[in-house]
Amino acid sequence: MKRIIFSVLFLFAAVSVFAQQKIMSFEVKGSEKSYNQVRVVNETSYENFRCRVVILNADSTVKEVYGDYVLNERGDSDANTKSGKESRINQGALLGIQFPKSFTGEVSLFVEYKDYPLFDVIVIHLTDKGGGYEEDEY
């Protein structure tokens, strides 16, 4: 009986750790061939938190860290710009966003792409989980 209880507790602990280390990922699908800036916008109710944008391999493992972002309040944004051809993010690349283990909030994201004269930007909007509009609100 003790083994069953211990096994169940171990399973819950493993699932909890896995859930905290989850990476929300997406494929870069903008109209530009490559992008040299990633901006993260806080549209959540959470304040004073950090996140990290990572470039992923095809198997969703982390290839490299693109940048760390600090978001202080709703509406705040942070950006990282890379120069040089080898540091650009190509269309079709797989990106992920990670949160520290201590961050317990539930967020979702949507992505938009901007073409400015000097920057081609991937904008990641973080929203509260389940946020957005209901179809019946129109």
Side-chain angles (χ1 to χ4, degrees):
M1 182 69 168
K2 288 182 182 180
R3 286 184 179 173
I4 293 173
I5 293 173
F6 179 73
S7 297
V8 170
L9 290 175
F10 180 76
L11 179 63
F12 282 129
V15 169
S16 175
V17 168
F18 177 73
Q20 289 178 352
Q21 294 178 351
K22 181 179 176 188
I23 298 176
M24 294 189 307
S25 63
F26 63 94
E27 182 180 345
V28 176
K29 294 185 177 182
S31 61
E32 299 297 317
K33 290 181 180 179
S34 65
Y35 295 85
N36 63 333
Q37 185 180 90
V38 176
R39 183 176 304 153
V40 178
V41 181
N42 181 14
E43 296 178 7
T44 72
S45 57
Y46 305 112
E47 296 182 343
N48 302 316
F49 66 94
R50 299 168 97 55
C51 61
R52 170 182 289 168
V53 172
V54 293
I55 300 171
L56 301 172
N57 293 307
D59 65 355
S60 296
T61 58
V62 176
K63 180 178 180 179
E64 68 180 271
V65 174
Y66 185 82
D68 290 304
Y69 300 80
V70 178
L71 301 166
N72 294 317
E73 59 191 359
R74 185 179 185 97
D76 194 16
S77 68
D78 194 5
N80 280 295
T81 305
K82 305 286 183 168
S83 60
K85 236 179 178 179
E86 63 280 345
S87 62
R88 293 182 67 89
I89 298 173
N90 294 324
Q91 185 183 53
L94 190 59
L95 293 185
I97 188 159
Q98 296 177 316
F99 296 91
K101 291 179 184 178
S102 62
F103 183 78
T104 58
E106 291 188 39
V107 298
S108 56
L109 64 86
F110 69 92
V111 180
E112 71 175 317
Y113 304 91
K114 300 280 189 174
D115 180 21
Y116 296 119
L118 298 176
F119 302 105
D120 295 313
V121 184
I122 300 169
V123 183
I124 303 170
H125 297 268
L126 300 177
T127 60
D128 287 314
K129 186 100 175 158
Y133 296 101
E134 295 290 331
E135 291 180 33
D136 297 337
E137 290 184 11
Y138 295 102

Coordinates of all heavy atoms in Angstrom, one line a residue, residues 35-81:
Y35 N 13.9 37.5 -39.9 CA 13.6 38.5 -38.9 C 14.8 38.8 -38.0 O 15.5 37.8 -37.6 CB 12.3 38.1 -38.0 CG 11.1 38.0 -38.9 CD1 10.8 36.8 -39.6 CD2 10.2 39.0 -39.0 CE1 9.7 36.7 -40.4 CE2 9.1 39.0 -39.8 CZ 8.9 37.8 -40.5 OH 7.8 37.7 -41.3
N36 N 15.0 40.0 -37.6 CA 16.1 40.4 -36.8 C 15.7 40.9 -35.4 O 16.6 41.4 -34.7 CB 17.0 41.4 -37.5 CG 16.4 42.7 -37.8 OD1 15.2 42.8 -37.9 ND2 17.2 43.7 -37.9
Q37 N 14.4 40.9 -35.1 CA 14.0 41.4 -33.8 C 12.8 40.5 -33.3 O 11.9 40.2 -34.1 CB 13.6 42.8 -33.8 CG 13.3 43.4 -32.4 CD 12.9 44.8 -32.4 OE1 11.7 45.1 -32.6 NE2 13.8 45.7 -32.3
V38 N 12.8 40.2 -32.0 CA 11.7 39.5 -31.4 C 11.3 40.4 -30.2 O 12.1 40.8 -29.4 CB 12.1 38.1 -30.9 CG1 10.9 37.5 -30.1 CG2 12.5 37.2 -32.0
R39 N 10.0 40.8 -30.2 CA 9.4 41.6 -29.2 C 8.3 40.8 -28.4 O 7.6 40.1 -29.1 CB 8.8 42.9 -29.8 CG 8.2 43.9 -28.8 CD 7.7 45.1 -29.5 NE 8.8 45.7 -30.3 CZ 8.7 46.4 -31.4 NH1 7.5 46.7 -31.8 NH2 9.7 46.9 -32.0
V40 N 8.3 40.9 -27.1 CA 7.3 40.3 -26.3 C 6.5 41.3 -25.6 O 7.0 42.3 -25.0 CB 7.9 39.3 -25.3 CG1 6.8 38.7 -24.4 CG2 8.8 38.3 -25.9
V41 N 5.1 41.2 -25.8 CA 4.2 42.2 -25.2 C 3.4 41.5 -24.1 O 2.8 40.5 -24.4 CB 3.3 42.8 -26.3 CG1 2.3 43.8 -25.7 CG2 4.1 43.4 -27.4
N42 N 3.3 42.1 -22.9 CA 2.5 41.6 -21.8 C 1.1 42.2 -21.9 O 0.8 43.3 -21.6 CB 3.1 42.0 -20.5 CG 2.4 41.5 -19.3 OD1 1.5 40.6 -19.4 ND2 2.7 42.0 -18.1
E43 N 0.2 41.3 -22.3 CA -1.3 41.7 -22.3 C -2.0 40.8 -21.3 O -3.2 40.6 -21.5 CB -1.8 41.5 -23.7 CG -1.1 42.5 -24.7 CD -1.6 42.3 -26.1 OE1 -2.5 41.6 -26.4 OE2 -1.0 43.0 -27.0
T44 N -1.3 40.4 -20.3 CA -1.9 39.6 -19.2 C -2.2 40.4 -18.0 O -1.8 41.6 -18.0 CB -0.9 38.5 -18.8 OG1 0.2 39.0 -18.1 CG2 -0.4 37.7 -20.0
S45 N -2.8 39.8 -17.0 CA -3.0 40.5 -15.7 C -1.8 40.3 -14.8 O -1.8 40.8 -13.7 CB -4.3 40.0 -15.1 OG -4.2 38.6 -14.9
Y46 N -0.8 39.6 -15.2 CA 0.4 39.3 -14.4 C 1.4 40.5 -14.5 O 1.6 41.1 -15.6 CB 1.1 38.0 -14.8 CG 0.2 36.9 -14.8 CD1 -0.2 36.2 -15.9 CD2 -0.4 36.4 -13.6 CE1 -1.1 35.1 -15.9 CE2 -1.2 35.3 -13.5 CZ -1.6 34.7 -14.7 OH -2.5 33.6 -14.7
E47 N 2.1 40.8 -13.4 CA 3.1 41.8 -13.4 C 4.5 41.3 -12.9 O 4.5 40.3 -12.2 CB 2.6 43.0 -12.5 CG 1.4 43.6 -13.0 CD 1.0 44.8 -12.0 OE1 1.4 44.9 -10.9 OE2 0.2 45.6 -12.5
N48 N 5.5 42.0 -13.3 CA 6.9 41.8 -12.9 C 7.3 40.3 -13.0 O 7.5 39.6 -12.1 CB 7.0 42.2 -11.4 CG 6.7 43.6 -11.2 OD1 7.1 44.5 -12.0 ND2 5.9 44.0 -10.2
F49 N 7.4 39.9 -14.3 CA 7.9 38.5 -14.5 C 8.8 38.5 -15.7 O 8.9 39.5 -16.5 CB 6.7 37.5 -14.8 CG 5.9 37.8 -16.0 CD1 6.2 37.1 -17.2 CD2 4.8 38.7 -16.0 CE1 5.4 37.4 -18.3 CE2 4.1 38.9 -17.1 CZ 4.4 38.2 -18.3
R50 N 9.6 37.4 -15.8 CA 10.5 37.2 -16.9 C 10.1 36.1 -17.8 O 9.4 35.2 -17.3 CB 11.9 36.9 -16.3 CG 12.5 38.0 -15.4 CD 13.7 37.5 -14.6 NE 15.0 37.8 -15.1 CZ 15.5 39.0 -15.4 NH1 14.7 40.0 -15.3 NH2 16.7 39.2 -15.8
C51 N 10.6 36.1 -19.0 CA 10.4 35.0 -19.9 C 11.6 34.9 -20.8 O 12.4 35.9 -20.9 CB 9.1 35.0 -20.6 SG 8.9 36.5 -21.7
R52 N 11.7 33.9 -21.6 CA 12.8 33.7 -22.5 C 12.3 33.1 -23.8 O 11.5 32.2 -23.8 CB 13.8 32.7 -21.8 CG 14.9 32.2 -22.7 CD 15.7 31.2 -22.0 NE 16.5 31.9 -21.0 CZ 17.2 31.3 -20.0 NH1 17.2 30.0 -19.9 NH2 17.9 32.0 -19.2
V53 N 12.8 33.7 -24.9 CA 12.5 33.2 -26.2 C 13.7 32.3 -26.6 O 14.8 32.7 -26.5 CB 12.3 34.3 -27.2 CG1 12.1 33.8 -28.6 CG2 11.0 35.1 -26.9
V54 N 13.4 31.1 -27.1 CA 14.4 30.2 -27.5 C 14.1 29.7 -29.0 O 13.0 29.7 -29.4 CB 14.4 28.9 -26.6 CG1 14.9 29.3 -25.2 CG2 13.1 28.2 -26.5
I55 N 15.2 29.4 -29.6 CA 15.1 28.8 -31.0 C 15.2 27.3 -30.7 O 16.0 26.8 -30.0 CB 16.2 29.2 -31.9 CG1 16.2 30.8 -32.0 CG2 16.2 28.5 -33.2 CD1 17.4 31.4 -32.7
L56 N 14.2 26.5 -31.3 CA 14.1 25.1 -31.1 C 14.6 24.3 -32.3 O 14.5 24.7 -33.5 CB 12.6 24.7 -30.8 CG 12.0 25.4 -29.6 CD1 10.5 25.1 -29.6 CD2 12.7 25.0 -28.3
N57 N 15.0 23.1 -32.0 CA 15.3 22.1 -33.0 C 14.0 21.5 -33.5 O 13.0 21.7 -32.9 CB 16.3 21.0 -32.5 CG 17.6 21.5 -32.1 OD1 18.3 22.1 -32.9 ND2 18.0 21.2 -30.9
A58 N 14.1 20.7 -34.6 CA 12.9 20.0 -35.1 C 12.2 19.1 -34.1 O 11.0 19.0 -34.2 CB 13.3 19.3 -36.4
D59 N 13.0 18.6 -33.2 CA 12.4 17.7 -32.2 C 11.9 18.5 -30.9 O 11.7 17.9 -29.9 CB 13.4 16.6 -31.8 CG 14.6 17.1 -31.1 OD1 14.8 18.3 -31.0 OD2 15.4 16.3 -30.7
S60 N 11.9 19.8 -31.0 CA 11.4 20.7 -29.9 C 12.4 20.8 -28.8 O 12.0 21.3 -27.7 CB 10.0 20.3 -29.5 OG 9.1 20.5 -30.5
T61 N 13.6 20.4 -28.9 CA 14.6 20.6 -27.9 C 15.2 22.0 -28.1 O 15.2 22.5 -29.3 CB 15.7 19.6 -27.9 OG1 16.3 19.6 -29.2 CG2 15.2 18.2 -27.6
V62 N 15.7 22.6 -27.1 CA 16.3 24.0 -27.2 C 17.6 24.0 -28.0 O 18.5 23.3 -27.6 CB 16.5 24.6 -25.8 CG1 17.1 26.0 -26.0 CG2 15.1 24.8 -25.1
K63 N 17.7 24.7 -29.1 CA 18.9 24.8 -29.8 C 19.7 26.0 -29.3 O 20.9 25.8 -29.1 CB 18.5 25.1 -31.3 CG 19.7 25.3 -32.2 CD 19.2 25.5 -33.7 CE 20.3 25.7 -34.6 NZ 19.8 25.9 -36.0
E64 N 19.1 27.1 -29.0 CA 19.8 28.3 -28.4 C 18.8 29.3 -27.9 O 17.6 29.3 -28.2 CB 20.7 29.0 -29.5 CG 20.0 29.7 -30.6 CD 20.9 30.4 -31.6 OE1 21.2 31.5 -31.3 OE2 21.2 29.7 -32.6
V65 N 19.3 30.1 -26.9 CA 18.5 31.1 -26.3 C 18.6 32.4 -27.2 O 19.7 32.8 -27.5 CB 18.9 31.5 -24.9 CG1 18.2 32.7 -24.4 CG2 18.8 30.2 -24.0
Y66 N 17.4 32.9 -27.7 CA 17.5 34.1 -28.5 C 17.6 35.3 -27.5 O 18.3 36.3 -27.8 CB 16.2 34.2 -29.3 CG 16.3 35.4 -30.3 CD1 17.0 35.4 -31.5 CD2 15.7 36.6 -29.9 CE1 17.0 36.5 -32.3 CE2 15.7 37.7 -30.7 CZ 16.4 37.6 -31.9 OH 16.5 38.7 -32.8
G67 N 16.8 35.3 -26.4 CA 16.9 36.5 -25.5 C 16.0 36.3 -24.3 O 15.1 35.5 -24.3
D68 N 16.3 37.1 -23.3 CA 15.5 37.1 -22.0 C 14.7 38.4 -22.0 O 15.2 39.5 -22.5 CB 16.4 37.1 -20.8 CG 17.1 35.7 -20.6 OD1 16.3 34.7 -20.5 OD2 18.3 35.7 -20.5
Y69 N 13.5 38.4 -21.5 CA 12.6 39.5 -21.5 C 12.1 39.8 -20.1 O 11.8 38.8 -19.4 CB 11.5 39.2 -22.5 CG 11.9 39.0 -23.9 CD1 12.5 37.7 -24.3 CD2 11.9 40.0 -24.8 CE1 12.9 37.5 -25.6 CE2 12.4 39.8 -26.1 CZ 12.9 38.6 -26.5 OH 13.3 38.4 -27.8
V70 N 12.0 41.0 -19.8 CA 11.4 41.5 -18.5 C 10.2 42.3 -18.7 O 10.2 43.3 -19.5 CB 12.5 42.3 -17.7 CG1 11.9 42.8 -16.3 CG2 13.8 41.5 -17.4
L71 N 9.1 41.8 -18.1 CA 7.8 42.5 -18.4 C 7.3 42.9 -17.0 O 7.0 42.1 -16.1 CB 6.8 41.5 -19.1 CG 7.4 41.1 -20.4 CD1 6.6 39.9 -20.9 CD2 7.4 42.2 -21.4
N72 N 7.1 44.2 -16.9 CA 6.7 44.8 -15.6 C 5.3 44.9 -15.3 O 4.8 44.8 -14.2 CB 7.4 46.1 -15.4 CG 8.9 46.0 -15.3 OD1 9.4 45.1 -14.7 ND2 9.7 46.8 -16.0
E73 N 4.5 45.3 -16.3 CA 3.1 45.5 -16.1 C 2.3 45.2 -17.4 O 2.9 45.0 -18.4 CB 2.8 46.9 -15.6 CG 3.3 48.0 -16.6 CD 3.3 49.4 -16.1 OE1 2.9 49.6 -14.9 OE2 3.7 50.3 -16.8
R74 N 1.0 45.3 -17.3 CA 0.2 45.1 -18.5 C 0.5 46.2 -19.5 O 0.6 47.4 -19.2 CB -1.3 45.1 -18.1 CG -2.2 44.8 -19.3 CD -3.7 44.9 -18.8 NE -4.5 44.5 -19.9 CZ -5.0 43.3 -20.1 NH1 -4.8 42.3 -19.2 NH2 -5.8 43.0 -21.1
G75 N 0.7 45.8 -20.7 CA 1.0 46.8 -21.8 C 2.5 47.0 -22.0 O 2.9 47.6 -23.0
D76 N 3.3 46.4 -21.1 CA 4.8 46.6 -21.2 C 5.3 45.6 -22.3 O 4.7 44.6 -22.5 CB 5.4 46.2 -19.8 CG 6.9 46.6 -19.8 OD1 7.3 47.4 -20.6 OD2 7.6 46.1 -18.9
S77 N 6.4 46.1 -22.9 CA 7.0 45.2 -23.9 C 8.5 45.3 -23.8 O 9.1 46.2 -23.2 CB 6.6 45.6 -25.3 OG 7.1 46.8 -25.7
D78 N 9.2 44.2 -24.3 CA 10.6 44.2 -24.2 C 11.1 43.5 -25.5 O 10.3 42.7 -26.1 CB 11.1 43.4 -23.0 CG 12.6 43.5 -22.7 OD1 13.3 44.3 -23.4 OD2 13.1 42.8 -21.9
A79 N 12.2 44.0 -26.1 CA 12.7 43.5 -27.4 C 14.1 43.1 -27.4 O 14.9 43.7 -26.6 CB 12.4 44.5 -28.5
N80 N 14.5 42.2 -28.2 CA 15.9 41.8 -28.4 C 16.1 41.9 -29.9 O 15.3 41.3 -30.7 CB 16.2 40.4 -27.9 CG 16.5 40.4 -26.4 OD1 17.4 41.0 -26.0 ND2 15.6 39.7 -25.7
T81 N 17.2 42.6 -30.3 CA 17.5 42.8 -31.7 C 18.9 42.1 -32.0 O 19.8 42.4 -31.2 CB 17.6 44.2 -32.1 OG1 16.3 44.8 -31.8 CG2 17.8 44.4 -33.6

